Amino acid sequence: MPHFRFNLPQITLLTKDQKLAYNPKLPMLVTGGPGSGKTVVTIYRFLRAVRNEKKIILFTFNRTLIYSIKGTLRDRAEELFGNLDQKQIDDIVDNQLSTFFIWHKNNVCPFNDTADEDIVAGNFASLAANGNYFEELFIDEGQDLPPAVYSNIFTLADSVSVGADRAQNYRRYYEDDEVEDIILENLKKQKHTQDQYLGENFRNTMEIFELARKFVPNNRRVQDMDVSEFRRGNKPDIRSGLDQLAQLDIIMQVISQNRNANIGILLHFRNEFPVLRAHLEKNGYSCAQDAPEASSYSYYYNDMNGDDELVVKKKLCSPFITTFESCKGLEFDIVIMPFFENSEPAMRKLNREGRAYATQNHYYVAVTRAKNEIFILCNEPPPSLPNVTEEEEEEELPF
């Protein structure tokens, strides 16, 4: 199976709006929906700063996105880093890309996302005084950091670039319709900051996006998006009445029939991982570092086994199993959402941070990870699952 990498188009293929977000060499807030190119713009702004030999750092929220970006930068190092030698490239990839929370913990203390602005300001001042001050700082998935970060972020950098999307607001630091306004307001209070909206979707087919937006019927930006120019594709494959074994068998069939595709399998709870992993390994797959590429898979969830996470850092393979929480920022040819009968308890139960394991926003984001195919498998259809018409059911392609 292929190695999973972040899909970074050639810089010459940036659209007009993406260029308007990329070109200005000043603080910038880039907004837009899934597949609009926010992360692409952030990476190219980061690489421009690398070429200009600036002291920089790039943050995302999810470790999985950082791992996939690092893989892409290493794979395309000659193209993306120009004349830099391998030691310089390794230093950049290893030390100038991180998740915000890990970086903050390693350099001052664990970040308290409920701390008031004075505490955040004090921590940031301590970071800057200890050598953690940057000429440029980049934040992807910016909606996942609280307002106090943006009220003080210029304590850490001369220039700041942020990418954010109100519809991917998992952590609920903001009301959905206020995310981008609050971030921009807090940035502008410190330095002049431009903003640029990316209104297109370059990832999903019309059919996939139509399903995705059924999960967030009250999000006006999503509902008002013009899909007439989306490419056409297959209808989502939604199947119910399947016990666990039947769902596992369908997953194996999808994998075996799409051996050159990047496949993402999204789960609600960590206790679902052993079930799926055991089935994969019974069928000859392995997540070991020395496993043959043709029979490799990877998995990730927060606080997973440390040795296995080290493997993921070095070798991120498809099929890739992760959680709805950790899939943000990723892109797959095919997304499979099995055991979806667990949606009801996932939307009801709270994790240790006091947030639901899943929300309608999680499912919107999950479906929009898929470029070409989406499979949703369940026993009893939960209330969160949009209705499927009889016509759609008849057109499903059985294995």
Side-chain angles (χ1 to χ4, degrees):
M1 302 299 286
H3 287 274
F4 177 77
R5 295 291 183 257
F6 180 83
N7 181 27
L8 185 69
Q10 299 288 331
I11 193 169
T12 54
L13 299 179
L14 295 185
T15 66
K16 179 180 177 181
D17 284 348
Q18 290 169 347
K19 289 176 181 176
L20 289 172
Y22 167 76
N23 288 332
K25 297 179 180 179
L26 71 165
M28 175 70 69
L29 172 65
V30 183
T31 62
S36 60
K38 299 183 301 300
T39 304
V40 169
V41 169
T42 298
I43 291 173
Y44 275 121
R45 286 176 67 93
F46 171 83
L47 290 169
R48 179 175 63 196
V50 169
R51 291 193 300 273
N52 291 332
E53 299 182 353
K54 292 187 174 183
K55 184 178 180 181
I56 56 177
I57 195 161
L58 186 155
F59 295 127
T60 71
F61 175 74
N62 283 340
R63 298 186 193 186
T64 49
L65 179 55
I66 278 290
Y67 299 158
S68 64
I69 291 173
K70 286 185 175 186
T72 294
L73 295 182
R74 291 190 193 279
D75 284 351
R76 295 169 57 183
E78 184 175 350
E79 167 199 349
L80 298 174
F81 290 104
N83 295 324
L84 297 186
D85 61 34
Q86 191 61 50
K87 182 178 179 181
Q88 291 171 309
I89 293 169
D90 288 341
D91 179 65
I92 291 166
V93 174
D94 291 338
N95 300 314
Q96 294 178 245
L97 297 99
S98 183
T99 70
F100 174 80
F101 290 98
I102 289 176
W103 176 83
H104 194 280
K105 178 181 178 180
N106 289 343
N107 286 281
V108 61
C109 65
F111 184 79
N112 179 1
D113 60 3
T114 63
D116 62 32
E117 290 194 7
D118 289 341
I119 292 175
V120 174
N123 287 334
F124 282 13
S126 177
L127 285 162
N130 288 309
N132 289 295
Y133 186 84
F134 305 93
E135 293 174 87
E136 290 197 50
L137 185 153
F138 305 87
I139 299 174
D140 194 52
E141 301 294 349
Q143 70 281 342
D144 291 327
L145 297 181
V149 168
Y150 299 109
S151 297
N152 296 281
I153 196 68
F154 283 99
T155 305
L156 297 175
D158 291 332
S159 183
V160 176
S161 298
V162 181
D165 178 13
R166 66 180 64 176
Q168 301 188 56
N169 179 27
Y170 281 4
R171 299 181 71 83
R172 315 310 302 174
Y173 295 131
Y174 312 85
E175 296 295 327
D176 283 345
D177 59 352
E178 297 177 355
V179 173
E180 296 143 5
D181 292 339
I182 292 175
I183 293 174
L184 184 61
E185 179 183 356
N186 287 355
L187 294 173
K188 282 186 170 181
K189 285 178 180 178
Q190 300 160 86
K191 283 193 178 182
H192 173 69
T193 303
Q194 284 190 209
D195 62 299
Q196 179 63 45
Y197 175 63
L198 307 179
E200 297 182 77
N201 180 314
F202 299 97
R203 177 185 300 141
N204 308 132
T205 63
M206 178 187 294
E207 292 78 6
I208 287 172
F209 190 77
E210 290 284 16
L211 172 63
R213 65 180 178 184
K214 288 180 181 178
F215 283 102
V216 287
N218 297 320
N219 187 304
R220 292 319 314 163
R221 177 186 286 177
V222 173
Q223 298 305 319
D224 292 343
M225 192 164 179
D226 181 6
V227 300
S228 61
E229 297 300 320
F230 280 42
R231 62 190 174 90
R232 300 304 301 265
N234 294 330
K235 291 188 176 182
D237 195 332
I238 302 175
R239 307 190 193 188
S240 59
L242 303 170
D243 63 19
Q244 186 180 86
L245 182 58
Q247 294 183 50
L248 292 169
D249 286 342
I250 290 172
I251 291 170
M252 290 308 308
Q253 290 165 15
V254 173
I255 292 170
S256 65
Q257 293 177 12
N258 297 276
R259 300 192 64 82
N260 294 318
N262 275 314
I263 300 173
I265 307 173
L266 308 182
L267 305 177
H268 288 102
F269 303 114
R270 66 176 59 186
N271 63 8
E272 296 171 314
F273 281 76
V275 175
L276 181 51
R277 291 186 59 205
H279 196 73
L280 283 168
E281 291 175 10
K282 185 178 77 171
N283 284 274
Y285 285 81
S286 172
C287 65
Q289 188 169 337
D290 59 354
E293 185 172 321
S295 57
S296 289
Y297 78 92
S298 295
Y299 80 98
Y300 175 84
Y301 59 79
N302 191 35
D303 293 332
M304 66 186 283
N305 176 281
D307 290 337
D308 282 359
E309 186 171 358
L310 288 175
V311 175
V312 174
K313 288 182 180 181
K314 297 177 181 178
K315 178 185 176 183
L316 186 56
C317 294
S318 168
F320 180 44
I321 313 168
T322 191
T323 61
F324 288 95
E325 183 81 9
S326 295
C327 73
K328 194 188 301 183
L330 303 181
E331 175 181 286
F332 303 95
D333 299 311
I334 299 169
V335 167
I336 308 173
M337 297 160 57
F339 317 138
F340 204 70
E341 62 271 13
N342 290 335
S343 169
E344 188 171 359
M347 296 182 75
R348 185 178 66 249
K349 292 181 179 179
L350 302 182
N351 61 21
R352 61 188 179 189
E353 296 175 338
R355 296 180 293 108
Y357 281 90
T359 65
Q360 297 296 130
N361 281 44
H362 282 77
Y363 299 138
Y364 165 74
V365 171
V367 175
T368 59
R369 300 308 91 195
K371 291 174 61 179
N372 301 319
E373 301 278 355
I374 179 78
F375 295 83
I376 302 179
L377 312 175
C378 62
N379 192 341
E380 292 296 322
S384 61
L385 184 62
N387 289 330
V388 181
T389 66
E390 292 182 4
E391 179 182 357
E392 286 172 332
E393 289 176 343
E394 290 171 0
E395 291 185 11
E396 289 179 358
L397 299 175
F399 287 105

